[in-house]
Amino acid sequence: MFPGYRTEIVEGNIMMSPVRAFHAKTIRLVWNLLEPQLPPEWSCVSDVAFPFSADFEFCPDLAVIPAAEEARNLSAYSPDLIELAVEVVPPSSVRNDYEVKDRQYAARGIAHYLILDPCEGHLATRWNPGPEGYRGRDLVPYGGKVVVDTGIGRLAIDTSGLPVDPGA
């Protein structure tokens, strides 16, 4: 409805985040890196709704869900399907991606959460979900390969080709 903005419900509020070129480019590059590594029974989806509650409905930049569910071609899916959630941080959504989604994704039991930050030039990995957030955390500067051991296999992301915002 609002060109140039992505809309979600966060803490009961409608949140609109402006989307920049590096945002979409990062999503595309990470999707292209992950998809060939996924077992055939898993697929990537992007910008579809995952209603958590009346106060939270997220549209992860990228989520890995069962291929059979992705094939249903829905506009909304259960968050319980997500094996891996990926967010690319726009400047206007730092708190939502690093704090709010960290707590919500972990409380829902999403096993792995990756936060790619073109402004800071790093990848934050989250695993071992708990009720207050992820207990496992790493922060890796862009420039090398990051391997994430998931329940569906080892997934490698080469961060050396990811864009970094020159104005940051």
Side-chain angles (χ1 to χ4, degrees):
M1 260 181 112
F2 301 96
Y5 287 84
R6 189 168 71 115
T7 307
E8 298 178 299
I9 299 172
V10 179
E11 297 176 320
N13 299 305
I14 296 174
M15 300 296 297
M16 293 175 38
S17 301
V19 179
R20 296 178 177 200
F22 282 178
H23 190 268
K25 184 175 184 177
T26 301
I27 295 166
R28 179 181 52 81
L29 291 170
V30 172
W31 186 318
N32 290 343
L33 290 169
L34 287 177
E35 193 169 49
Q37 300 176 65
L38 295 177
E41 59 273 7
W42 292 90
S43 290
C44 294
V45 295
S46 183
D47 284 333
V48 294
F50 289 89
F52 281 55
S53 68
D55 289 335
F56 294 97
E57 180 179 291
F58 297 121
C59 298
D61 291 320
L62 187 65
V64 175
I65 67 171
E69 291 296 323
E70 183 265 344
R72 295 176 61 207
N73 195 34
L74 303 175
S75 60
Y77 294 91
S78 169
D80 299 327
L81 298 170
I82 301 173
E83 173 66 24
L84 170 70
V86 178
E87 296 288 359
V88 178
V89 181
S92 63
S93 184
V94 172
R95 179 180 170 273
N96 288 339
D97 290 335
Y98 282 102
E99 296 175 27
V100 177
K101 291 179 182 179
D102 181 280
R103 285 190 310 274
Q104 291 297 313
Y105 287 175
R108 194 60 180 238
I110 295 171
H112 298 277
Y113 175 34
L114 304 180
I115 306 164
L116 294 118
D117 194 330
C119 292
E120 297 295 328
H122 63 232
L123 167 61
T125 63
R126 304 287 196 255
W127 71 95
N128 193 9
E132 298 300 318
Y134 288 91
R135 295 175 285 238
R137 300 166 174 265
D138 280 321
L139 191 64
V140 183
Y142 284 1
K145 195 175 279 191
V146 176
V147 177
V148 180
D149 287 311
T150 73
I152 59 174
R154 296 184 81 181
L155 302 173
I157 299 172
D158 183 357
T159 63
S160 61
L162 298 178
V164 177
D165 189 340

